[in-house]
């Protein structure tokens, strides 16, 4: 339905930005006390990430930037050497998020168990710097750019698998070359 857009473009609709205190009959009341009559109220609130739940010293060492939180493999902070701090799924966006989150959980679990060694801080920083520079070289500026993997997810998943010492090739023969990856292709990772 393009009715809304066409009316908007013809200036037959009015938009108003502000903070709604409450809904009232036939509209809204703003925090400033203004009552605005409205047939439709669109709550496009957006969202902002916050790390206020972490101690101030940890927040500072995370070095959150305007384009997000740049982490080693999108889950481990390079400067925070306490491995008990990891971000499972909250700092990465892929096409198949559920598969990525499962790989993150296994990756973090292996580090916590000591099955997989944590890279040195300098190695992690180098990887973060390289990824940051690459993303900033071609991705538009956005507050979530640090977490965006999207169409590069197969390569990203391969990197996680290599780090865990697991084979990247999850399919057989020609399927590896010509068929897309699906979450079921990662079945059995936790048993390996």
């Amino acid at each position: 339905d393009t009715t809304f857009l066409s009316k908007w473009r013809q200036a037959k609709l009015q938009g108003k930005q502000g903070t709604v205190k409450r809904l009232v009959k036939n509209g809204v009341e703003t925090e400033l006390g203004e009552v605005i009559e409205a047939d439709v109220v669109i709550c496009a609130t957006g969202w902002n990430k916050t790390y206020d739940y972490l101690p101030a010293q940890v927040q500072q060492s995370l070095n959150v930037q305007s384009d997000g939180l740049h982490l080693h493999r999108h889950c481990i902070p390079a400067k925070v050497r306490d491995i008990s701090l990891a971000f499972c799924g909250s700092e990465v966006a892929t096409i198949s998020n559920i598969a990525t989150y499962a790989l993150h959980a296994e990756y973090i679990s292996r580090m916590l168990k000591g099955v997989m060694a944590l890279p040195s801080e300098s190695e992690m920083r180098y990887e973060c710097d390289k990824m940051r520079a690459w993303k900033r070289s071609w991705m538009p500026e956005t507050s979530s750019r640090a977490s965006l993997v999207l169409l590069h997810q197969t390569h990203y998943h391969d990197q996680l698998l290599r780090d865990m010492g697991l084979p990247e090739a999850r399919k057989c023969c020609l399927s590896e070359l010509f068929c897309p990856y699906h979450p079921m292709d990662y079945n059995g990772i936790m048993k390996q």
Side-chain angles (χ1 to χ4, degrees), residues 7-35:
K7 285 185 179 184
W8 181 263
R9 290 178 181 142
Q10 296 168 15
K12 292 182 178 178
L13 298 174
Q14 281 187 322
K16 191 111 182 183
Q17 185 176 353
T19 303
V20 174
K21 181 178 178 182
R22 66 177 179 213
L23 297 175
V24 295
K25 187 175 181 176
N26 299 324
V28 297
E29 181 182 344
T30 69
E31 278 192 339
L32 301 174
E34 179 184 8
V35 175

Side-chain angles (χ1 to χ4, degrees), residues 84-129:
S84 64
L85 177 63
F87 297 86
C88 186
S90 65
E91 303 299 328
V92 66
T94 61
I95 301 300
S96 180
N97 283 328
I98 196 69
T100 303
Y101 300 165
L103 287 170
H104 261 191
E106 183 63 19
Y107 189 90
I108 292 165
S109 172
R110 287 175 185 231
M111 283 204 177
L112 288 171
K113 290 179 192 173
V115 174
M116 199 172 99
L118 184 65
S120 71
E121 181 179 339
S122 62
E123 290 172 314
M124 290 169 75
R125 254 196 232 172
Y126 173 77
E127 287 293 328
C128 288
D129 291 345

Side-chain angles (χ1 to χ4, degrees), residues 163-181:
D163 286 357
M164 290 188 280
L166 299 174
E168 303 163 40
R170 309 298 303 171
K171 296 177 175 284
C172 61
C173 308
L174 293 176
S175 295
E176 185 65 38
L177 297 172
F178 298 111
C179 295
Y181 267 81

Side-chain angles (χ1 to χ4, degrees), residues 22-183:
R22 66 177 179 213
L23 297 175
V24 295
K25 187 175 181 176
N26 299 324
V28 297
E29 181 182 344
T30 69
E31 278 192 339
L32 301 174
E34 179 184 8
V35 175
I36 302 170
E37 288 188 26
D39 295 321
V40 176
V41 177
I42 299 173
C43 298
T45 59
W47 57 275
N48 291 315
K49 284 189 179 182
T50 181
Y51 304 95
D52 293 347
Y53 60 93
L54 296 170
Q57 182 181 352
V58 172
Q59 288 181 51
Q60 184 179 359
S61 63
L62 287 177
N63 189 26
V64 179
Q65 298 183 13
S66 64
D67 57 351
L69 180 56
H70 295 272
L71 300 168
H72 178 72
R73 303 294 188 251
H74 296 279
C75 60
I76 309 288
K79 199 169 182 180
V80 180
R81 301 312 296 159
D82 179 357
I83 190 55
S84 64
L85 177 63
F87 297 86
C88 186
S90 65
E91 303 299 328
V92 66
T94 61
I95 301 300
S96 180
N97 283 328
I98 196 69
T100 303
Y101 300 165
L103 287 170
H104 261 191
E106 183 63 19
Y107 189 90
I108 292 165
S109 172
R110 287 175 185 231
M111 283 204 177
L112 288 171
K113 290 179 192 173
V115 174
M116 199 172 99
L118 184 65
S120 71
E121 181 179 339
S122 62
E123 290 172 314
M124 290 169 75
R125 254 196 232 172
Y126 173 77
E127 287 293 328
C128 288
D129 291 345
K130 196 165 82 170
M131 182 65 71
R132 182 184 308 111
W134 175 70
K135 286 182 176 189
R136 288 179 177 173
S137 74
W138 69 277
M139 281 186 186
E141 170 99 30
T142 175
S143 62
S144 63
R145 177 170 51 194
S147 67
L148 299 178
V149 173
L150 302 173
L151 298 175
H152 305 279
Q153 81 175 20
T154 302
H155 300 291
Y156 173 63
H157 290 171
D158 287 352
Q159 183 63 61
L160 294 174
L161 293 170
R162 275 193 303 275
D163 286 357
M164 290 188 280
L166 299 174
E168 303 163 40
R170 309 298 303 171
K171 296 177 175 284
C172 61
C173 308
L174 293 176
S175 295
E176 185 65 38
L177 297 172
F178 298 111
C179 295
Y181 267 81
H182 299 284

